[in-house]
């Protein structure tokens, strides 16, 4: 292996990728390649190492009190802690013939001193290690964002007129198209007229508003091809100090790219969709605006945006769609006599790609409940047409069970708590995540207050409620290896659901009003329910699992496949594998906390 190959190998391993080129060259020149036979004891309490080992080929087991606790494979390193602290309680034994790099203790310490980020990785807790690893992962994905094309951005329709059209007529046409400029087409020779042009000519120079517009058009126009890189459009705007650029397709004008839209795209494309939703004047326009969500998610994910922020942005847009549709379809005299709520992942603001509809309608006791029947059935059908799939469990406003009076909801919630049947725990969990999006929102707030009032002293109910978090086995072995079935691993059952349900249980017990899982964790931290560092680790684990699922689901969407919750473990790189393992370790730790906290072993 050449020095270049060694350097590339080392750079591909986190956190060595954080080293500068100079540091990387220094360590590459200083490290050796070594060979060890099977059953060699590399490190033990009596044998403190002089090297950090990085495995090229082979397998090493770490033992504590003669019990195997972890296995190291290709690209794994061991044992930094023994080097840093000069002691260990564990033994590292070669399982399979080992070929590895050896980095001298002195060289390793010099790297720690010269590179603060590299040092932080080895000296901070698990949550910070995951954050550091994620940062590296996101950095490698930034190139995708830079490859976006002009056609990926929002383009305004071009208002094109002839040179002979009167200025006033051209302005009326521009207003009717909601355009920001006028393009004057003189047999393929285009000029441009903007608000400032008109103001200057008509107001300051006394030009006749009924005169032809051709003479006041500015030439030449600055244009860019739709297939060009969006980043180049940004460069053109900056270089020429202009606010818009004409977009062409093989020389033919196809639209106008505005500076505000371009900047919004680079900062947050959701702004544009939000405007489209707000301006929608009918259901068709609203549907069109809602179709762009997958595109937004892909772009934000490619930019390395944290899943927490993506889901919040998308949930905000979904709420706007639900609210706008409610206002379009429900007669005005009925709108404030009911409360439309979204539940489950939508209520927790953790839904990104459109999944099942989970919604309900709480109707004032005095209102005419049957009057909502037809309109709510049409509401569900319209959401289906928008691409929001039906809930297999029928948790939708078209179902009378989830469309009833405030009093009926209150009676049912009380029954869940007093004499719960099989599905009632799930129904309460879904309802507890509810978020009001339209109508009289105080109705939902009062119902949640009624839940808290009846929770006191219901320890057995809470233990059974929390027990659902333990339903599925965490897919990691005692030796910290991933447990996958034919290289497929259900990340929802294995990690996301246990965190959501466990945190939801604690939030219900401690009357946390937030609905998002991460905000609930922060609220529980502030209430000292668990240690701050563990709360941080739980947040990072949740974000990791959600991000990996989203990446897989976006990949499935691109291939036209049904979205699922599985991750292909054979497609993960080394860094992703380590992130997944660390996240599942935290999930397991959280489960043990829940068992102890709710005394789950005391209930059947």
């Amino acid at each position: 292996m050449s020095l270049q190959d060694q350097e590339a190998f080392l750079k591909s391993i986190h956190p060595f990728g954080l080293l500068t080129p100079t540091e990387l060259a220094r360590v590459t020149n200083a490290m050796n390649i070594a060979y060890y036979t099977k059953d060699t004891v590399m490190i033990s309490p009596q044998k403190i190492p002089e090297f950090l080992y990085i495995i090229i080929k082979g397998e090493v087991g770490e033992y504590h009190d003669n019990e195997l606790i972890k296995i190291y494979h290709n690209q794994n390193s061991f044992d930094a802690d023994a080097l840093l602290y000069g002691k260990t309680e564990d033994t590292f034994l070669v399982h399979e013939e080992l070929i590895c790099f050896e980095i001298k203790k002195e060289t390793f310490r010099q790297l720690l001193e010269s590179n603060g980020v590299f040092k932080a990785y080895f000296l901070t807790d698990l949550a910070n290690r995951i954050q550091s690893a994620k940062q590296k992962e996101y950095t490698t994905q930034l190139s995708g964002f830079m490859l976006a094309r002009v056609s990926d951005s929002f383009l305004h329709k071009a208002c094109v007129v002839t040179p002979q059209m009167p200025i006033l007529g051209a302005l009326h046409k521009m207003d009717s198209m909601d355009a920001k400029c006028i393009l004057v087409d003189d047999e393929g020779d285009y000029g441009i007229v903007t608000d400032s042009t008109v103001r200057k000519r008509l107001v300051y120079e006394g030009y006749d508003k009924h005169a032809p517009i051709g003479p006041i058009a500015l030439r030449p126009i600055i244009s860019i091809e739709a297939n060009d890189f969006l980043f180049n459009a940004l460069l053109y705007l900056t270089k020429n100090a202009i606010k818009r650029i004409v977009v062409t397709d093989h020389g033919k004008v196809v639209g106008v790219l505005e500076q505000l839209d371009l900047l919004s795209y680079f900062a947050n494309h959701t702004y544009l969709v939000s405007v489209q939703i707000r301006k929608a004047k009918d259901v068709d326009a609203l549907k069109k605006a809602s179709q762009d969500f997958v595109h937004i998610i892909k772009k934000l994910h490619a930019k390395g945006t944290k899943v927490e922020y993506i889901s919040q942005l998308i949930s905000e847009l979904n709420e706007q769609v639900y609210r706008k549709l409610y206002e379009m379809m429900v007669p005005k005299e009925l709108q404030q006599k009911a409360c439309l709520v979204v539940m489950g992942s939508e209520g927790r603001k953790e839904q990104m790609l459109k999944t099942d509809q989970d919604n309900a309608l709480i109707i004032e006791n005095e209102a005419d409940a049957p009057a909502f029947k037809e309109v709510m059935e049409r509401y569900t059908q319209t959401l289906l047409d928008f691409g929001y799939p039906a809930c297999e469990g029928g948790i939708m406003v078209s179902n009378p069970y989830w469309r009833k009076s405030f009093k009926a909801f209150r009676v049912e919630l009380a029954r869940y708590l007093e004499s719960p049947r099989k599905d009632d725990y799930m129904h309460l969990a879904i309802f507890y995540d509810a978020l009001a999006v339209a109508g009289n929102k105080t109705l939902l707030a009062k119902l949640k207050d009624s839940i808290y009032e009846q929770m006191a002293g219901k320890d057995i109910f809470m233990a059974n409620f929390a027990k659902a978090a333990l339903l599925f086995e965490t897919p990691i072995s005692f030796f910290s290896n991933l447990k996958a079935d034919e290289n497929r691993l259900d990340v929802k059952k294995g990690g996301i659901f246990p965190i959501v349900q466990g945190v939801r249980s604690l939030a219900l017990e401690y009357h946390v009003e937030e609905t998002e899982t991460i905000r609930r964790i922060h609220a529980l931290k502030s209430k000292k329910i668990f240690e701050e560092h563990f709360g941080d680790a739980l947040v990072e684990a949740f974000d990791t699992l959600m991000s990996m699922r989203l990446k897989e689901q976006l990949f499935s969407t691109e291939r036209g496949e049904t979205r699922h919750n599985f991750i292909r473990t054979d497609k993960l790189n080394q860094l992703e594998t380590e992130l997944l393992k660390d996240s599942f370790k935290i999930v397991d730790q959280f489960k043990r906390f829940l068992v102890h906290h709710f005394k789950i072993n005391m209930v059947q």
Side-chain angles (χ1 to χ4, degrees):
M1 185 181 287
S2 66
L3 280 177
Q4 289 78 12
D5 291 338
Q6 292 180 31
E7 190 170 313
F9 176 82
L10 198 61
K11 190 176 180 180
S12 69
I13 302 172
H14 191 67
F16 291 92
L18 300 172
L19 297 177
T20 65
T22 303
E23 292 166 340
L24 207 54
R26 189 199 317 156
V27 68
T28 303
N29 284 312
M31 65 187 185
N32 302 314
I33 295 181
Y35 168 80
Y36 294 93
T37 58
K38 185 181 178 183
D39 296 331
T40 301
V41 175
M42 305 287 293
I43 303 172
S44 73
Q46 296 76 36
K47 188 179 180 181
I48 303 303
E50 290 298 321
F51 302 98
L52 180 74
Y53 302 100
I54 302 174
I55 299 177
I56 302 173
K57 184 180 179 183
E59 180 180 297
V60 173
E62 179 179 356
Y63 292 79
H64 184 78
D65 291 339
N66 295 321
E67 289 189 14
L68 184 60
I69 60 172
K70 190 172 182 180
I71 294 177
Y72 297 84
H73 297 283
N74 180 33
Q75 292 191 323
N76 291 158
S77 65
F78 63 95
D79 177 47
D81 286 347
L83 276 185
L84 288 169
Y85 304 111
K87 63 180 181 180
T88 182
E89 295 180 354
D90 297 341
T91 298
F92 293 74
L93 181 68
V94 176
H95 285 178
E96 296 176 1
E97 290 185 331
L98 177 68
I99 301 175
C100 63
F101 285 123
E102 293 179 337
I103 299 177
K104 292 180 181 177
K105 181 167 66 176
E106 188 57 32
T107 304
F108 180 61
R109 285 185 174 277
Q110 288 172 356
L111 290 174
L112 295 180
E113 293 304 318
S114 65
N115 191 313
V117 181
F118 184 75
K119 181 179 181 179
Y121 176 82
F122 289 101
L123 296 182
T124 53
D125 56 24
L126 186 56
N128 283 313
R129 288 190 188 192
I130 293 177
Q131 278 187 335
S132 171
K134 281 180 183 174
Q135 187 60 45
K136 188 258 185 184
E137 181 76 356
Y138 293 153
T139 301
T140 63
Q141 295 173 346
L142 283 175
S143 58
F145 175 59
M146 300 304 292
L147 295 177
R149 305 283 177 171
V150 171
S151 55
D152 293 330
S153 182
F154 178 80
L155 301 181
H156 292 262
K157 290 182 179 177
C159 173
V160 183
V161 301
T162 63
Q164 294 76 32
M165 179 175 274
I167 295 174
L168 190 60
L171 290 174
H172 281 311
K173 183 175 181 179
M174 182 177 75
D175 287 342
S176 67
M177 294 180 66
D178 199 21
K180 305 295 183 186
C181 65
I182 299 167
L183 295 181
V184 181
D185 182 6
D186 188 1
E187 298 181 348
D189 179 20
Y190 285 92
I192 187 169
V193 176
T194 65
D195 283 341
S196 61
T197 308
V198 173
R199 187 168 58 248
K200 179 182 177 183
R201 296 292 189 179
L202 269 62
V203 177
Y204 301 138
E205 299 179 7
Y207 206 85
D208 184 359
K209 65 183 179 183
H210 298 289
I213 195 169
I216 69 169
L218 302 175
R219 290 184 172 82
I221 61 171
I222 297 175
S223 64
I224 188 170
E225 279 286 291
N227 195 41
D228 203 340
F229 293 114
L230 195 57
F231 191 71
N232 283 337
L234 182 61
L235 292 178
Y236 283 136
L237 292 179
T238 304
K239 181 179 179 179
N240 295 286
I242 54 178
K243 294 181 179 178
R244 55 190 60 84
I245 188 168
V246 177
V247 180
T248 58
D249 185 4
H250 296 90
K252 183 181 178 182
V253 173
V254 294
V256 176
L257 177 62
E258 296 285 341
Q259 181 192 49
L260 177 62
D261 298 335
L262 178 60
L263 295 177
S264 298
Y265 184 94
F266 276 88
N268 178 9
H269 184 60
T270 55
Y271 167 77
L272 303 178
V273 178
S274 179
V275 171
Q276 291 172 358
I277 294 172
R278 196 164 60 248
K279 288 187 174 181
K281 295 179 179 177
D282 54 41
V283 171
D284 287 340
L286 189 60
K287 178 183 177 182
K288 185 178 179 182
S290 73
Q291 303 304 302
D292 204 28
F293 288 7
V294 171
H295 176 75
I296 293 172
I297 295 168
K298 287 168 65 176
K299 292 297 178 187
L300 291 173
H301 190 255
K303 283 193 290 184
T305 308
K306 285 175 76 74
V307 167
E308 176 188 359
Y309 302 134
I310 297 177
S311 59
Q312 286 181 0
L313 288 168
I314 296 302
S315 293
E316 177 62 34
L317 294 176
N318 276 327
E319 282 180 42
Q320 291 181 17
V321 171
Y322 297 145
R323 187 180 307 116
K324 186 82 174 187
L325 190 61
Y326 182 87
E327 293 167 354
M328 285 179 172
M329 299 183 71
V330 178
K332 282 191 175 180
E333 63 273 19
L334 294 180
Q335 288 180 9
Q336 289 302 315
K337 293 184 178 181
C339 176
L340 177 70
V341 303
V342 293
M343 302 181 290
S345 60
E346 189 63 55
R348 297 193 309 274
K349 298 189 176 186
E350 289 158 10
Q351 187 183 86
M352 285 168 279
L353 300 172
K354 292 171 181 171
T355 55
D356 295 358
Q357 293 183 41
D358 280 338
N359 46 44
L361 190 74
I362 307 165
I363 305 170
E364 286 183 354
N365 291 333
E366 298 76 17
D368 179 14
F372 288 92
K373 178 178 182 297
E374 183 184 349
V375 69
M376 286 297 106
E377 288 175 348
R378 282 194 289 113
Y379 190 89
T380 295
Q381 286 301 316
T382 306
L383 285 180
L384 283 172
D385 185 48
F386 277 26
Y388 295 91
C391 173
E392 292 183 0
I395 304 173
M396 298 179 290
V397 290
S398 56
N399 182 348
Y401 184 80
W402 293 102
R403 186 189 70 244
K404 53 194 174 189
S405 70
F406 175 87
K407 180 180 179 181
F409 266 110
R410 182 164 183 159
V411 169
E412 194 69 347
L413 290 169
R415 189 188 62 73
Y416 291 167
L417 296 169
E418 290 299 331
S419 53
R421 296 193 289 256
K422 183 180 177 182
D423 292 336
D424 292 342
Y425 291 105
M426 179 187 72
H427 287 163
L428 180 63
I430 293 172
F431 191 84
Y432 182 58
D433 292 342
L435 181 72
V437 295
N440 182 359
K441 298 182 180 180
T442 62
L443 294 172
L444 176 62
K446 290 177 181 176
L447 281 178
K448 287 200 174 183
D449 285 343
S450 76
I451 295 174
Y452 295 139
E453 290 168 4
Q454 298 172 71
M455 285 301 302
K458 289 193 165 42
D459 295 342
I460 295 177
F461 176 90
M462 284 307 307
N464 280 304
F465 186 79
K467 193 169 67 174
L470 313 180
L471 276 176
F472 307 107
E473 182 184 8
T474 310
I476 189 168
S477 73
F478 185 74
F479 306 128
S480 300
N481 290 322
L482 295 175
K483 294 170 67 175
D485 184 12
E486 297 182 350
N487 295 321
R488 281 159 49 93
L489 181 155
D490 191 325
V491 72
K492 180 178 180 181
K493 289 181 178 177
I496 294 173
F497 176 74
I499 294 177
V500 168
Q501 179 63 15
V503 170
R504 177 194 280 143
S505 303
L506 292 165
L508 180 59
E509 181 183 16
Y510 292 99
H511 301 187
V512 173
E513 294 184 356
E514 306 284 357
T515 59
E516 303 100 306
T517 299
I518 288 180
R519 291 195 177 189
R520 282 173 171 171
I521 292 172
H522 290 311
L524 291 167
K525 276 196 314 180
S526 67
K527 290 176 179 284
K528 310 293 184 187
I529 307 307
F530 37 61
E531 297 292 333
E532 183 166 347
H533 73 275
F534 181 70
D536 293 339
L538 202 55
V539 168
E540 290 303 326
F542 185 67
D543 186 78
T544 298
L545 298 170
M546 293 283 284
S547 180
M548 287 189 174
R549 182 176 69 168
L550 176 60
K551 181 179 178 181
E552 184 68 30
Q553 290 183 337
L554 287 173
F555 187 55
S556 298
T557 300
E558 286 181 356
R559 291 181 298 181
E561 298 175 355
T562 303
R563 290 194 292 268
H564 50 70
N565 296 302
F566 289 98
I567 287 178
R568 289 289 305 265
T569 54
D570 58 335
K571 301 295 183 185
L572 299 177
N573 59 37
Q574 183 68 23
L575 176 59
E576 291 171 328
T577 301
E578 292 304 315
L579 282 172
L580 200 55
K581 287 179 181 178
D582 286 342
S583 299
F584 283 138
K585 288 177 191 173
I586 294 168
V587 171
D588 253 354
Q589 191 177 348
F590 184 50
K591 283 182 174 178
R592 292 194 292 274
F593 172 86
L594 293 173
V595 170
H596 175 75
H597 181 87
F598 288 106
K599 298 180 175 57
I600 292 176
N601 289 336
M602 304 294 288
V603 298
Q604 294 184 342

